[in-house]
Amino acid sequence: MTASSSLTSGTAVEIAALIAAGEVSAVEVTQAHLDRIASDDGALHAFLRVDTDGALASAKAVDDQRAAGESLGPLAGVPLALKDVVVTRGLETTSGSKILVGWIPPYDATITARIKAAGIVILGKTNMDEFAMGSSTENSGFGPSHNPWDLDRIPGGSSGGSSAAVAGGLAPLGIGTDTGGSIRQPAAVTGLVGHKPTYGGVSRYGLIAFSSSLDQAGPFGRTVLDTALLHETIAGHDLSDSTSIPAPVPPVVAAARAGASGDLTGLRVGVVRELGGHGFADGYEPGVLTSVGEAVEVMAGLGAEIVEVSCPHFGYALAAYYLIAPSEASSNLARFDAVRYGLRVGDDGVRGLDEVMALTRQAGFGPEVKRRIMIGTYALSSGYYEAYYGQAQKVRTLISRDFAAAFGAADVLVSPSTPTVAFPLGARTDNPLAMYAADLCTLPASLAGTPAISVPSGLSDGLPVGLQIMAPALADDRCYRVAAAVESALDARRGHPLLHEIPIR
Amino acid sequence: MTTTSEITVDDVTARYDPVIGLETHVELGTMSKMFCGCPTEFGAEPNTQTCPVCLGLPGALPVVNVKAIEYTIRIGLALNATIATWCRFARKNYFYPDMPKDFQISQYDEPLCTDGYLDVMVDSEQFRVEIERVHLEEDTGKSLHVGGATGRIQGADHSLVDYNRAGIPLVEIVTKPIAGTGSLAPVVARAYVTELRELLRGLDVSDVRMEQGSMRCDVNTSLAPKGAAAWGTRTETKNVNSLRSVERAVRSEMIRQSQVLDEGGRIVQETRHFHEDTSSTTSGRSKEEATDYRYFPEPDLVPVAPDPAWVEELRAALPDSPSVKRGRRQAELGLSDDEMSWLVNTGALQLFAETVAAGASAADARKWWLGDLARRANAEDVELAELAITPAQVAGLARLVADGKVNDRLARQVLDGVLAGEGEPEAVVASRGLAVVSDTGALDSAVDNAIADNPEVVAKIRSGKVAAVGVLLGSVMKATRGQADAASVKAMIAQRLGVEL
C-alpha cells in the first residue's frame, strides 16, 4: 500500500488526525484524492464534475489555519463527495438533469455552507438519478455510475455517485439525499454506512427539491463514527427552512463512540415482520435475509432483546409514496420552464412561449422524470385529488401510527435496507415497478419522517448487504449507537472492516 | 362591440335582479416580501429587489413573514371575521413566466380569516356586505409585452419580466354574493371598495393605491329575471383598477348581460377584461378553458396557528373603524349626512379635510369641492383626486376670495389657471392680471361714466325699478374687465343715485 493509497483508503477520523498532527497536509490529502479520481473515475463515473481548483484552495485554507495555530474542526481537511442535488455557489449544479446544464448557482445550500465552514474539502459534484428519482443512477441525464464491488452492477440510487465515490476510494465522506431510500439503499449495496436523518433534522435550503415533504440530506461514511461526525456537521436548526426542527442536534457522535463498546444490554430490537419476515419474504433474496438474520443474532449476543413487531400498513407504503412524491415533484419541477435558467430549446423568435416551454421540457427531462410529472399531475387533478393524494396522506398517517405502536414494543426496529444485493446495470431499466421495489424497506421511515441508518451486515455472493436500523423521530443517536455496536462486533468477528474486501481497491 | 349608451341601469333592473361580488387584492405594506427578506418598495429598477427565494431558484425555500400574518389578522378582525386557529398555505399550480416557481403560494380551503362583514352607506341607506374570506398569498412578477398592438402577450415581439413585485404579500378579500341592491348595484360596489380602502388605510397595512396596483379589484356580476329564485350565470371582470371603474364595470356588465338575455341569449361563465378607455368589457377566458390549479398543501411551510392571546391583543389594539372616525370628522367639518356620504363615496373626504386643515373654512371647502371642482371632475370624467389641484391650493383660492382680492367670478378663472398648471393661485392672479380693481380713481370714473351713458336706466332705477341696476353694474364690469367687486360697485351707484339698492 503506497502512502497515497493509505490516504485514500483511511477513515475520515484517521485522515483528520494525520492533518491535525501535521503528518500530512490537507493539500496532500486532497491531491491524493484528485489523483485517485483521475485514475479510477473513468470506470466508476461517480463524479459529474470535479472542482480541482476549489478543492485545493479549500485544502490550502485548512493548512493555513493550522499553520496560524487556529483550532481545526474534527473533519477539517477531509475530502467529501457532494451529490449534485445540493446547490454550490459558483459551481455548476444540475441535479443529474440535462435541463439544468450550465446553471451556476449564485448561492450555497445551508449544508454546503456548513461543510465549507467545517473545513471539509468538496472534491466535486456526484452523479445521481435525475432529480433524485431512481434507485440505480441509471436515470441520470449523464450516464450511470458503477459499483466499485462489481463494475457491471449498480451503486444504488439516487445518491449512487456519492456511494460509488466513498466505497471506491475517491472520497472518505459523501453527502446524499434520501426521499424514499436514496441514501440507505446505495449505502447498503456498496458496503457503506448511510443515514437518513429525522425529517427536519437537516436543512433542505439549497437542496433541489424532489418531494418537499420527504427529502432529507444525510451522510455517507466508511464507518459509523465518520458518518456521525458528518451528520453533526450538517445538522441543526436553520431559519431558512421552515420545516427545519428548532431542537438540539441529537448526540450522534457521542452515541457512535458509546456504541462501539458493543454493549446492547436492555435494548429491545423489533424485527419488522412485513419487511422480509415470515410470510413477507417474497422478492427478498435469501442471502440478504440470511446476512441480516446473522446481524440480528449478533445484536442478541450483545445483550439486546429481540422481538418481532408487525406494522400492517407498511405494505401500502410503496403505493402511497408513488402518489405523494410524484405529486410534489410535478409542482416542484414546474419551474424548469426555459425562462430564467438552464436549457432553452426552440427559441427561434417565431415559436411562442408555450411551445418553447414544452420543447425544452421534452428535451431536458428524462423518461422517469416525465413519468412522475404525469403521475403527479394526474393525482392532483380536480376530481382525483381525494382519491389519490388525499388517500395517500391517510396511508401516511397510518404508517406513522404503526411506527408509534412498534416503538412501544421496541427501542429500534430492524430490517434489510433493500431486498437484494446490487443488481446488474440494465436489469430493471425496462421495469419501473421492479426498480421501485428496491425502496420497499426504506419507504416507511421516509413517509413517517423518522430516522434510519444502513450499516453493513456482511456479504451475499460477494456483494454487500445492509441492515436498516430505524428509531423514533429525533432519536437519530439511537440509530448510531446500535449501528456502531453491530459494526464493531462484525468487524471483530471478521477481523477487518467489510470494505477491505472490496475487489478493486 | 354593441353600443350600450341608450340603455340605463334602471332599464336593466326593471326586468332583472343583479347579484354582484368582489374580489379585492391588496398588497401589504410590509418592509420585506412574503417569503424572503427582499425590500418591497415600489418603483425600483427592474429585478433589483430579488433573491434566490423570490426568484424561485432551484433549492430555495420560503419562510413566512410574520408581519404579513399580523396584518392579515388585523384586516380580518376589522372586517368582523373569524380568525383561523390553524390553517395552511397551498400551492396554486399554473405556468406563467411572471411566476418564478410556476406555482403561487396562496391559501385554498383553509383561509386565515372567514365570515366577516363590512357596512356601507349609499344614499343614506345602509348595505351590509358579507365577507366570505380573507386570505394571504404572494404577488407575481410583472410582465411587459413589447411590440404587439394590445400590450398583451398575444402578438408581442418579446416580453420582459420584472420580479421586484414577485413575492410581495398580497391579501385577497372576497365578498359573499351581494343581492338585493337593484339599480344601486354599481354604486354599492364602488361604495364597498371605497369603504374597504378607508378601512385598510386606517389599519395602516397598505398604501392602497389603485393606480399603482397595490389595490386591484375583480368584479363578479350576474343577472336573473326579476323575482327568479335562482341566480344567473356570472362573469368575472378583471383589471378594474379605480373606484370609478368598479362602478362602471358593474354597470357595463349589467347592461351587456341584459342585452344578451333580452335577445334570448345565454351568459357564458368567463373572465372579462375591463377597458378604462371605453368603460366596456371584452371576453377573456371561458370556464371550459380554465386552468386546473391542482391545489395541494404547501409542503415547504408549516401550518400557521396564531396564538389566540395574540389575536386578542391585536383586536384590542385596532383603531376606530372608518365609520366611527367619519362621525367624528363629520361633526368637526359641519357636513350633512348626504354631503358626508358623497365625499366618502367619491373618495374626496381626505381632500376635503386637508383643505380645512390648510386654513379654509368648512363652508369654503364644501363650496369648492362639492361645487365647481365636482362639476369639472364630472365633465372631464375623472376622480376629484385626479384634478390637478391640491387641497392647499383650494384653501389658497378661498383665502383670496375671503380677503377680497378676487371675486367669485375671477376665482373661477384663477381655478382655471391652477388646473392648467400655471402655478399657485397668487401666481395665477398676478400672471393673468385678475386682481379686483381697488384703484378708487379708476372705479369712480367707471361708475360715473356708466351713470352718464345710461340716463334712461338711471330714470328707471329712480322710479323704483331697482333691478335695472344690473345694466349699470354690467357696464362698470365691462369697463374694468370684470375685475371690480360687485358689492362695492353697487354701493357706489346707490350712493350716487341716492337710492336703496
Side-chain angles (χ1 to χ4, degrees):
Chain A
M1 201 178 269
T2 65
S4 164
S5 89
S6 82
L7 285 181
T8 55
S9 62
T11 67
V13 169
E14 288 163 358
I15 293 169
L18 291 175
I19 294 170
E23 289 177 31
V24 63
S25 72
V27 168
E28 286 171 305
V29 169
T30 296
Q31 191 58 57
H33 284 89
L34 291 170
D35 292 347
R36 191 67 198 270
I37 292 169
S39 66
D40 289 2
D41 201 38
L44 291 174
H45 192 226
F47 283 89
L48 290 177
R49 72 200 64 83
V50 177
D51 184 21
T52 304
D53 294 346
L56 288 170
S58 307
K60 177 152 189 315
V62 171
D63 288 336
D64 290 349
Q65 266 184 292
R66 188 180 173 278
E70 292 173 35
S71 70
L72 299 179
L75 294 175
V78 179
L80 173 140
L82 187 60
K83 188 178 182 181
D84 201 32
V85 73
V86 183
V87 167
T88 44
R89 182 185 184 125
L91 182 61
E92 185 186 20
T93 301
T94 66
S95 203
S97 180
K98 287 181 183 149
I99 209 161
L100 266 178
V101 166
W103 183 55
I104 313 287
Y107 76 106
D108 268 335
T110 297
I111 64 168
T112 304
R114 288 183 179 177
I115 286 165
K116 288 178 176 175
I120 297 172
V121 175
I122 297 171
L123 293 171
K125 306 298 286 290
T126 56
N127 195 22
M128 55 185 285
D129 289 293
E130 185 178 8
F131 288 111
M133 298 178 187
S135 307
S136 71
T137 68
E138 291 165 300
N139 296 330
S140 167
F142 310 103
S145 300
H146 299 259
N147 191 324
W149 290 79
D150 177 348
L151 293 175
D152 292 331
R153 290 178 186 266
I154 60 115
S158 62
S159 313
S162 288
S163 65
V166 178
L170 309 188
L173 294 172
I175 288 288
T177 57
D178 189 315
T179 303
S182 286
I183 292 173
R184 291 161 286 165
Q185 182 257 5
V189 300
T190 57
L192 298 178
V193 180
H195 181 70
K196 181 198 88 78
T198 300
Y199 182 81
V202 175
S203 170
R204 289 186 299 115
Y205 187 75
L207 308 191
I208 298 180
F210 158 22
S211 178
S212 309
S213 72
L214 296 162
D215 297 343
Q216 265 299 284
F220 284 108
R222 292 174 186 153
T223 66
V224 174
L225 181 58
D226 282 3
T227 310
L229 284 163
L230 183 53
H231 181 138
E232 202 161 78
T233 303
I234 60 172
H237 186 228
D238 177 16
L239 290 171
S240 301
D241 174 3
S242 313
T243 61
S244 149
I245 301 172
V249 178
V252 292
V253 172
R257 291 190 202 281
S261 70
D263 186 10
L264 293 180
T265 306
L267 183 85
R268 296 171 302 161
V269 173
V271 178
V272 182
R273 181 165 12 132
E274 286 78 5
L275 300 178
H278 253 330
F280 294 90
D282 270 6
Y284 288 79
E285 286 179 353
V288 167
L289 295 177
T290 303
S291 176
V292 167
E294 284 168 8
V296 172
E297 279 169 31
V298 164
M299 295 164 92
L302 296 173
E305 178 197 339
I306 312 298
V307 296
E308 190 188 61
V309 298
S310 174
C311 296
H313 299 98
F314 281 16
Y316 301 105
L318 189 87
Y321 177 85
Y322 278 99
L323 287 169
I324 292 168
S327 293
E328 294 181 4
S330 71
S331 174
N332 283 330
L333 269 54
R335 72 189 65 190
F336 303 105
D337 61 5
V339 174
R340 288 161 300 273
Y341 42 76
L343 189 68
R344 182 181 290 181
V345 174
D347 183 16
D348 54 6
V350 178
R351 290 187 169 96
L353 177 75
D354 291 352
E355 205 181 345
V356 171
M357 276 189 192
L359 286 171
T360 301
R361 289 167 70 83
Q362 191 180 334
F365 288 142
E368 182 62 25
V369 171
K370 286 176 189 162
R371 178 175 10 253
R372 296 201 196 185
I373 290 174
M374 284 190 283
I375 291 171
T377 302
Y378 184 78
L380 290 176
S381 295
S382 163
Y384 298 95
Y385 177 90
E386 266 314 313
Y388 293 116
Y389 191 81
Q391 285 296 101
Q393 290 291 8
K394 286 179 194 160
V395 169
R396 199 170 181 173
T397 303
L398 293 174
I399 286 170
S400 290
R401 285 186 195 159
D402 278 0
F403 268 115
F407 284 126
D411 300 308
V412 293
L413 305 181
V414 296
S415 75
S417 299
T418 181
T420 70
V421 294
F423 48 85
L425 285 158
R428 300 188 186 181
T429 42
D430 293 333
N431 186 347
L433 287 179
M435 189 71 87
Y436 298 170
D439 294 335
L440 268 180
C441 305
T442 45
L443 290 171
S446 294
L447 288 166
T450 48
I453 201 166
S454 179
V455 63
S457 62
L459 298 180
S460 167
D461 292 335
L463 291 167
V465 175
L467 165 74
Q468 178 177 231
I469 303 163
M470 297 171 271
L474 288 174
D476 299 61
D477 51 317
R478 219 181 278 176
C479 294
Y480 283 97
R481 182 180 149 231
V482 177
V486 171
E487 177 187 61
S488 75
L490 288 174
D491 283 1
R493 196 162 82 173
R494 204 183 291 119
H496 55 255
L498 184 70
L499 218 49
H500 285 193
E501 296 182 24
I502 196 163
I504 71 153
R505 299 179 79 209
Chain B
M1 204 181 304
T2 335
T3 142
T4 56
S5 52
E6 65 274 18
I7 302 176
T8 67
V9 164
D10 287 324
D11 296 336
V12 175
T13 53
R15 300 190 299 283
Y16 301 103
D17 289 329
V19 177
I20 55 173
L22 292 109
E23 293 173 21
T24 310
H25 285 96
V26 182
E27 278 183 358
L28 295 182
T30 51
M31 296 291 288
S32 57
K33 290 187 179 180
M34 185 65 232
F35 298 115
C36 64
C38 286
T40 55
E41 215 169 299
F42 180 81
E45 280 292 299
N47 297 309
T48 55
Q49 296 177 343
T50 60
C51 73
V53 175
C54 59
L55 284 178
L57 293 188
L61 294 173
V63 176
V64 167
N65 180 341
V66 177
K67 208 74 193 169
I69 301 278
E70 178 187 319
Y71 282 12
T72 308
I73 291 174
R74 292 179 66 227
I75 293 168
L77 291 170
L79 288 170
N80 311 291
T82 306
I83 310 304
T85 51
W86 190 92
C87 67
R88 286 182 294 187
F89 286 94
R91 288 191 186 175
K92 180 179 182 180
N93 294 286
Y94 64 100
F95 284 87
Y96 204 75
D98 66 15
M99 228 177 20
K101 303 181 292 294
D102 287 304
F103 61 78
Q104 180 189 31
I105 304 179
S106 181
Q107 291 194 286
Y108 181 49
D109 49 358
E110 299 167 4
L112 195 44
C113 321
T114 50
D115 295 325
Y117 63 84
L118 182 63
D119 290 331
V120 299
M121 294 290 286
V122 172
D123 289 358
S124 305
E125 190 180 347
Q126 179 175 298
F127 291 88
R128 172 155 294 188
V129 176
E130 291 189 280
I131 307 292
E132 168 106 20
R133 59 189 281 151
V134 180
H135 80 239
L136 191 49
E137 60 191 26
E138 58 179 340
D139 209 344
T140 61
K142 226 183 227 168
S143 298
L144 180 65
H145 304 296
V146 184
T150 57
R152 312 240 313 256
I153 192 165
Q154 292 81 6
D157 287 338
H158 64 275
S159 302
L160 299 169
V161 192
D162 175 8
Y163 293 107
N164 283 354
R165 200 181 70 177
I168 288 185
L170 198 60
V171 154
E172 183 173 334
I173 302 162
V174 183
T175 68
K176 290 181 180 167
I178 308 164
T181 54
S183 58
L184 286 177
V187 189
V188 169
R190 178 184 181 138
Y192 161 75
V193 178
T194 307
E195 183 73 2
L196 183 61
R197 196 175 66 162
E198 282 304 307
L199 177 136
L200 295 167
R201 197 176 270 147
L203 291 171
D204 201 18
V205 294
S206 169
D207 60 9
V208 285
R209 292 199 177 165
M210 298 186 83
E211 73 282 5
Q212 287 184 358
S214 62
M215 182 171 182
R216 322 193 273 271
C217 280
D218 300 339
V219 179
N220 293 326
T221 312
S222 71
L223 293 182
K226 237 181 158 30
W231 291 339
T233 303
R234 74 188 149 87
T235 60
E236 181 180 5
T237 305
K238 302 253 182 201
N239 192 28
V240 187
N241 294 333
S242 72
L243 294 175
R244 192 176 65 247
S245 298
V246 169
E247 182 176 340
R248 291 180 173 183
V250 174
R251 184 179 297 135
S252 131
E253 255 314 274
M254 284 172 66
I255 291 169
R256 186 192 69 83
Q257 291 186 15
S258 76
Q259 288 181 319
V260 173
L261 294 170
D262 284 349
E263 289 161 14
R266 288 178 53 192
I267 303 302
V268 180
Q269 186 173 342
E270 61 182 355
T271 59
R272 298 186 66 84
H273 297 284
F274 183 73
H275 303 280
E276 295 265 350
D277 45 355
T278 57
S279 285
S280 63
T281 67
T282 54
S283 179
R285 200 178 52 214
S286 81
K287 190 191 175 194
E288 286 68 36
E289 300 165 60
T291 316
D292 179 352
Y293 292 123
R294 291 172 287 120
Y295 282 101
F296 72 104
E298 167 56 276
D300 284 332
L301 292 170
V302 291
V304 177
D307 180 353
W310 180 50
V311 172
E312 286 317 305
E313 270 173 44
L314 295 177
R315 190 195 304 274
L318 283 182
D320 285 336
S321 73
S323 63
V324 169
K325 275 189 205 158
R326 262 197 316 270
R328 245 189 345 250
R329 211 167 220 190
Q330 187 179 344
E332 283 164 17
L333 299 175
L335 292 162
S336 73
D337 286 354
D338 280 351
E339 285 170 341
M340 189 69 190
S341 147
W342 187 85
L343 281 172
V344 168
N345 290 336
T346 52
L349 183 61
Q350 191 61 22
L351 299 171
F352 188 91
E354 283 171 21
T355 306
V356 172
S361 70
D364 280 341
R366 189 163 58 228
K367 177 173 107 185
W368 288 108
W369 286 113
L370 300 181
D372 273 84
L373 289 166
R375 270 195 298 282
R376 281 164 201 256
N378 208 30
E380 287 170 37
D381 211 7
V382 295
E383 304 279 338
L384 278 174
E386 293 171 70
L387 290 173
I389 189 165
T390 64
Q393 289 171 329
V394 174
L397 186 60
R399 199 174 311 119
L400 289 175
V401 177
D403 294 350
K405 295 201 175 125
V406 295
N407 57 24
D408 273 0
R409 207 171 71 78
L410 291 175
R412 292 199 182 91
Q413 292 180 45
V414 175
L415 193 61
D416 290 338
V418 174
L419 291 169
E422 291 168 25
E424 295 301 313
E426 291 79 0
V428 175
V429 167
S431 64
R432 288 197 174 192
L434 296 176
V436 166
V437 175
S438 50
D439 172 353
T440 35
L443 206 53
D444 276 343
S445 61
V447 171
D448 291 343
N449 290 343
I451 291 171
D453 295 348
N454 297 288
E456 322 81 55
V457 176
V458 170
K460 272 186 186 167
I461 294 170
R462 287 204 164 119
S463 68
K465 293 180 178 163
V466 290
V469 77
V471 178
L472 300 184
L473 209 51
S475 170
V476 172
M477 284 297 175
K478 195 174 172 193
T480 58
R481 299 204 319 282
Q483 286 166 255
D485 180 45
S488 314
V489 173
K490 226 169 167 183
M492 289 165 80
I493 295 170
Q495 193 208 350
R496 278 167 173 66
L497 300 185
V499 295
E500 291 276 325
L501 289 175

